[in-house]
Short mmCIF file of all heavy atoms in Angstrom, two decimals:
data_model
loop_
_atom_site.label_atom_id
_atom_site.label_comp_id
_atom_site.label_asym_id
_atom_site.label_seq_id
_atom_site.Cartn_x
_atom_site.Cartn_y
_atom_site.Cartn_z
N ASP A 347 31.59 14.71 5.54
CA ASP A 347 30.53 15.48 6.20
C ASP A 347 31.04 15.80 7.60
O ASP A 347 31.15 14.91 8.44
CB ASP A 347 29.27 14.60 6.22
CG ASP A 347 28.06 15.27 6.86
OD1 ASP A 347 28.20 15.91 7.92
OD2 ASP A 347 26.94 15.12 6.30
N SER A 350 29.26 20.60 10.70
CA SER A 350 27.80 20.52 10.68
C SER A 350 27.09 21.02 11.94
O SER A 350 26.28 20.30 12.53
CB SER A 350 27.38 19.06 10.39
OG SER A 350 28.04 18.59 9.24
N ASN A 352 24.45 23.50 14.17
CA ASN A 352 23.09 23.95 13.94
C ASN A 352 23.06 25.46 14.02
O ASN A 352 23.67 26.05 14.91
CB ASN A 352 22.16 23.35 14.98
CG ASN A 352 22.14 21.84 14.89
OD1 ASN A 352 22.20 21.29 13.79
ND2 ASN A 352 22.10 21.17 16.02
N HIS A 361 31.47 20.80 19.05
CA HIS A 361 31.65 20.84 17.60
C HIS A 361 33.12 20.85 17.20
O HIS A 361 33.45 20.63 16.04
CB HIS A 361 30.97 22.08 17.01
CG HIS A 361 29.49 21.96 16.99
ND1 HIS A 361 28.68 22.70 17.82
CD2 HIS A 361 28.68 21.18 16.26
CE1 HIS A 361 27.43 22.37 17.59
NE2 HIS A 361 27.39 21.46 16.65
N HIS A 387 27.30 20.12 6.65
CA HIS A 387 25.85 19.89 6.57
C HIS A 387 25.16 20.70 7.69
O HIS A 387 24.80 20.16 8.74
CB HIS A 387 25.63 18.39 6.75
CG HIS A 387 24.24 17.89 6.45
ND1 HIS A 387 23.70 17.89 5.19
CD2 HIS A 387 23.30 17.33 7.25
CE1 HIS A 387 22.48 17.36 5.23
NE2 HIS A 387 22.22 17.02 6.48
N TYR A 548 15.02 14.90 10.30
CA TYR A 548 16.49 14.82 10.14
C TYR A 548 16.85 13.63 9.26
O TYR A 548 17.66 13.74 8.32
CB TYR A 548 17.07 14.66 11.56
CG TYR A 548 18.56 14.57 11.70
CD1 TYR A 548 19.40 15.51 11.12
CD2 TYR A 548 19.13 13.55 12.47
CE1 TYR A 548 20.78 15.43 11.29
CE2 TYR A 548 20.51 13.47 12.66
CZ TYR A 548 21.33 14.41 12.07
OH TYR A 548 22.68 14.33 12.25
N ASP A 552 18.58 13.50 5.56
CA ASP A 552 19.86 12.82 5.37
C ASP A 552 19.80 11.82 4.21
O ASP A 552 20.77 11.66 3.47
CB ASP A 552 20.29 12.09 6.66
CG ASP A 552 21.49 12.78 7.32
OD1 ASP A 552 22.30 13.38 6.59
OD2 ASP A 552 21.61 12.71 8.55
N TYR A 570 31.00 10.32 7.50
CA TYR A 570 30.26 11.20 8.41
C TYR A 570 31.01 11.34 9.72
O TYR A 570 31.11 10.37 10.48
CB TYR A 570 28.86 10.62 8.69
CG TYR A 570 27.95 10.69 7.49
CD1 TYR A 570 28.03 9.73 6.49
CD2 TYR A 570 27.03 11.71 7.35
CE1 TYR A 570 27.20 9.79 5.38
CE2 TYR A 570 26.19 11.78 6.24
CZ TYR A 570 26.28 10.83 5.26
OH TYR A 570 25.48 10.90 4.16
N VAL A 572 30.64 12.51 12.97
CA VAL A 572 29.55 12.93 13.85
C VAL A 572 29.68 12.17 15.18
O VAL A 572 30.05 10.99 15.18
CB VAL A 572 28.17 12.64 13.22
CG1 VAL A 572 27.05 13.20 14.08
CG2 VAL A 572 28.06 13.20 11.81
N GLN A 576 25.30 9.34 17.80
CA GLN A 576 24.45 9.10 16.62
C GLN A 576 24.80 7.79 15.91
O GLN A 576 24.42 7.57 14.76
CB GLN A 576 24.53 10.29 15.65
CG GLN A 576 23.90 11.55 16.24
CD GLN A 576 23.74 12.69 15.23
OE1 GLN A 576 23.51 12.48 14.06
NE2 GLN A 576 23.86 13.92 15.72
N PHE A 580 23.06 6.39 12.37
CA PHE A 580 23.71 6.19 11.07
C PHE A 580 23.59 4.76 10.59
O PHE A 580 23.49 4.52 9.39
CB PHE A 580 25.17 6.68 11.11
CG PHE A 580 25.25 8.18 10.94
CD1 PHE A 580 25.56 9.00 12.01
CD2 PHE A 580 24.97 8.76 9.72
CE1 PHE A 580 25.59 10.38 11.86
CE2 PHE A 580 24.99 10.14 9.55
CZ PHE A 580 25.31 10.95 10.62
N1 LIG B 1148 23.63 19.10 12.86
C1 LIG B 1148 23.79 17.81 13.45
C2 LIG B 1148 24.04 17.95 14.95
O1 LIG B 1148 24.54 18.97 15.40
C3 LIG B 1148 24.94 17.03 12.86
C4 LIG B 1148 24.79 16.71 11.41
C5 LIG B 1148 25.74 15.63 10.97
N2 LIG B 1148 25.63 15.28 9.59
C6 LIG B 1148 24.62 14.63 9.03
N3 LIG B 1148 24.62 14.44 7.74
N4 LIG B 1148 23.65 14.11 9.76
O2 LIG B 1148 23.75 17.00 15.66
#
Side-chain angles (χ1 to χ4, degrees):
D347 181 316
S350 309
N352 298 323
H361 287 109
H387 191 67
Y548 181 52
D552 250 330
Y570 290 81
V572 185
Q576 293 190 33
F580 279 107

